[in-house]
Amino acid sequence: MKMPPNAVLAAVAVSATAVAVGVAVAVPSPGDHAAKGAVAASSPLLGTVSTSPGGASSASQPADTAPATTPASASGSPSATTASTPVPKPSGSNIPGRPSATSTGPHPSSAATSTATPSSGTGLDDPRKKEIAMELVSSAENSSLDWRAQYKYIEDIKDGRGYTGGLIGFCSGTGDMLELVQHYTALKPNNVLAKYLNALKADNGSDTHDGLDPNFTSDWKAAAADPLFQQAQNDERDRTYFNPAVSQAKADGLGALGQFIYYDALVMHGPGSDSLSFGGIRAATLRKAKPPSQGGDEVAYLNAFLDARIVAMKADPSHQDTSRIDTEQRVFVKNRNLALATPLHWSVYGDAYTID
């Protein structure tokens, strides 16, 4: 399997609005779970702030975590990271791979925010739009629109990154699963996964299960029924991927569709400055087209971004199927649905989906 380039990683936290409930129809098939990382210090994505293990993240996500009695989390956070050697992470359908994150230090309390006005109406951080984004990503990552069913997902997909689990494919070998369990333990010290913290630290950067087997996967599935573990997954997803993507897209003057396209790229490729990471893809785009914030045409810019992303995908053996671009995102751009308005009809890896 391909070993991605080394990257200095970092991530950004911005509190996000909780997700509204959505309705969708899906045809399931084997899916994939994407990789983790943080934003490179040299990346255009929100400067030099970064991620760390431990500490609470964003505010609680009551709509993401269905039970009404879910307590609110502590406020939140990016945190400092160190350089690390990535572990390859193609996932279930051999689609995504991403850099690893080895993190240290406390979560800072705030991140840069955009002052640009997107050109296409309501942003992706609107609860209804955010629900759509979660379902769109889940169609590619899990072959299902029921993204909430993925809290309990856990397996070793034999990609060199150890166990992959949860909403966004947290990995025991890349540091983000460690950060997740640290955050969960900050919310609930006596949880069923807290006893694995030392093992997760030791296994970070490898594909081993030392100290995790034989009960880690069953304990993970048990924890998934806990609203606080669901909240922790929501928090880490938003802190590392959703909030930075939306913030950067708004700074580039992009509407809800462009914000989603950035988010999906971060989920699959991970943030970073190398050519196969989000920062490198965006940098390649900027050499070809201007974003709306610089007076460019939004459709032309998004097509240039998708072109650059396909180049990055084709450079990695685990990313050869580009249907999530060709038969999903490119379709929305061609239809000039820059506000990501419903109804939406698309297919991924041969499966058809609808959001009404």
Side-chain angles (χ1 to χ4, degrees):
M1 292 184 185
K2 176 193 167 296
M3 183 72 71
N6 292 349
V8 179
L9 304 176
V12 178
V14 181
S15 297
T17 308
V19 177
V21 175
V23 178
V25 178
V27 181
S29 77
D32 56 89
H33 298 264
K36 289 298 138 299
V39 182
S42 60
S43 163
L45 192 66
L46 299 182
T48 59
V49 288
S50 48
T51 47
S52 87
S57 293
S58 59
S60 66
Q61 308 283 332
D64 281 353
T65 305
T69 56
T70 303
S73 73
S75 50
S77 191
S79 40
T81 67
T82 61
S84 64
T85 300
V87 181
K89 173 119 175 12
S91 59
S93 299
N94 289 326
I95 305 300
R98 63 190 154 189
S100 66
T102 303
S103 306
T104 58
H107 288 281
S109 60
S110 63
T113 56
S114 166
T115 57
T117 301
S119 63
S120 305
T122 303
L124 205 67
D125 45 5
D126 173 80
R128 286 182 57 82
K129 298 293 187 185
K130 186 176 181 183
E131 175 67 21
I132 289 170
M134 297 304 110
E135 293 183 5
L136 287 170
V137 170
S138 187
S139 72
E141 297 299 308
N142 310 112
S143 295
S144 168
L145 300 190
D146 186 6
W147 60 269
R148 292 177 181 83
Q150 309 311 319
Y151 291 117
K152 65 181 181 295
Y153 167 77
I154 181 81
E155 67 176 318
D156 186 339
I157 59 177
K158 307 302 181 184
D159 62 353
R161 293 175 181 263
Y163 282 122
T164 296
L167 287 180
I168 208 73
F170 303 99
C171 297
S172 62
T174 64
D176 54 357
M177 185 175 283
L178 169 61
E179 292 185 354
L180 170 63
V181 176
Q182 286 176 320
H183 178 38
Y184 180 34
T185 302
L187 297 177
K188 184 178 181 178
N190 297 318
N191 70 75
V192 70
L193 299 179
K195 61 181 176 283
Y196 297 106
L197 281 170
N198 288 336
L200 287 168
K201 290 175 184 177
D203 292 345
N204 188 18
S206 76
D207 62 354
T208 65
H209 302 167
D210 294 348
L212 299 177
D213 294 333
N215 297 320
F216 181 69
T217 57
S218 59
D219 286 341
W220 178 284
K221 291 173 183 177
D226 182 359
L228 283 176
F229 188 48
Q230 296 173 15
Q231 177 186 319
Q233 291 195 39
N234 296 337
D235 289 347
E236 291 300 298
R237 171 202 64 201
D238 289 351
R239 180 173 73 87
T240 309
Y241 299 102
F242 186 81
N243 294 335
V246 171
S247 182
Q248 181 63 70
K250 286 183 176 181
D252 288 340
L254 301 176
L257 175 58
Q259 293 164 37
F260 165 70
I261 287 173
Y262 273 21
Y263 173 56
D264 188 71
L266 277 168
V267 168
M268 173 180 272
H269 300 278
S273 59
D274 64 273
S275 63
L276 302 186
S277 297
F278 175 84
I281 293 169
R282 180 175 174 273
T285 305
L286 292 171
R287 291 192 291 270
K288 300 290 186 180
K290 290 183 178 180
S293 62
Q294 297 178 21
D297 177 76
E298 188 166 6
V299 169
Y301 178 81
L302 291 177
N303 276 317
F305 184 89
L306 294 178
D307 290 343
R309 185 174 172 192
I310 286 177
V311 170
M313 292 171 71
K314 291 294 188 181
D316 189 322
S318 65
H319 292 172
Q320 295 303 296
D321 189 327
T322 60
S323 64
R324 73 197 284 163
I325 306 299
D326 304 329
T327 57
E328 181 191 300
Q329 296 173 38
R330 193 81 80 178
V331 172
F332 301 153
V333 174
K334 182 178 180 180
N335 292 337
R336 303 188 69 88
N337 189 357
L338 301 178
L340 204 60
T342 55
L344 294 170
H345 307 283
W346 76 99
S347 64
V348 183
Y349 315 134
D351 296 335
Y353 299 91
T354 294
I355 298 176
D356 291 322

